[in-house]
Amino acid sequence: QVQLVESGGGLVQAGGSLRLSCAASGRTFSRYDMVWFRQAPGKDRDFVAAISWSGGRTYYADSANGRFTISRDNAKNTVYLQMNSLKPEDTAVYYCAAGNYERSIWSYWGQGTQVTVSS
């Protein structure tokens, strides 16, 4: 069992930066691939970025590539999403999840953190 708690969201102007954190409980965090999704009002939940259990592989949506960086610290049971050059269209609730990237199975989810980018 893994419990996930996101933090770091907030209001930022376009062009600004935020770093989201996702803290996990439990001793099995390092066994899981981790992912960030986001959901804007009235839209589907979209993939943003993922990182393998070891941190050796990362994956990004086209919208995030070059602006966002996913990383993890298994010693701290935490995954991060550094977001730079933010745009109003990045406004959404951001969720982290733990699971298996190749199988697209995400077993554990956080409650989400709101990111709002003003123009």
Side-chain angles (χ1 to χ4, degrees), residues 50-100:
I51 188 167
S52 63
W53 63 270
S54 67
R57 290 169 292 171
T58 56
Y59 311 90
Y60 295 94
D62 288 344
S63 60
N65 204 16
R67 298 188 299 127
F68 295 1
T69 302
I70 189 170
S71 61
R72 68 189 295 163
D73 186 337
N74 285 344
K76 295 183 178 180
N77 280 9
T78 303
V79 63
Y80 305 97
L81 185 68
Q82 176 68 44
M83 304 187 295
N84 299 327
S85 302
L86 283 162
K87 306 174 182 179
E89 51 263 42
D90 294 318
T91 295
V93 178
Y94 284 70
Y95 299 89
C96 68
N100 185 286

Side-chain angles (χ1 to χ4, degrees), residues 19-73:
R19 189 176 83 154
L20 305 183
S21 298
C22 174
S25 64
R27 293 177 289 180
T28 59
F29 172 76
S30 62
R31 298 181 184 177
Y32 295 98
D33 300 333
M34 297 295 297
V35 67
W36 287 95
F37 285 90
R38 67 186 183 187
Q39 187 167 21
K43 296 188 177 181
D44 293 334
R45 187 172 295 182
D46 291 330
F47 168 79
V48 177
I51 188 167
S52 63
W53 63 270
S54 67
R57 290 169 292 171
T58 56
Y59 311 90
Y60 295 94
D62 288 344
S63 60
N65 204 16
R67 298 188 299 127
F68 295 1
T69 302
I70 189 170
S71 61
R72 68 189 295 163
D73 186 337

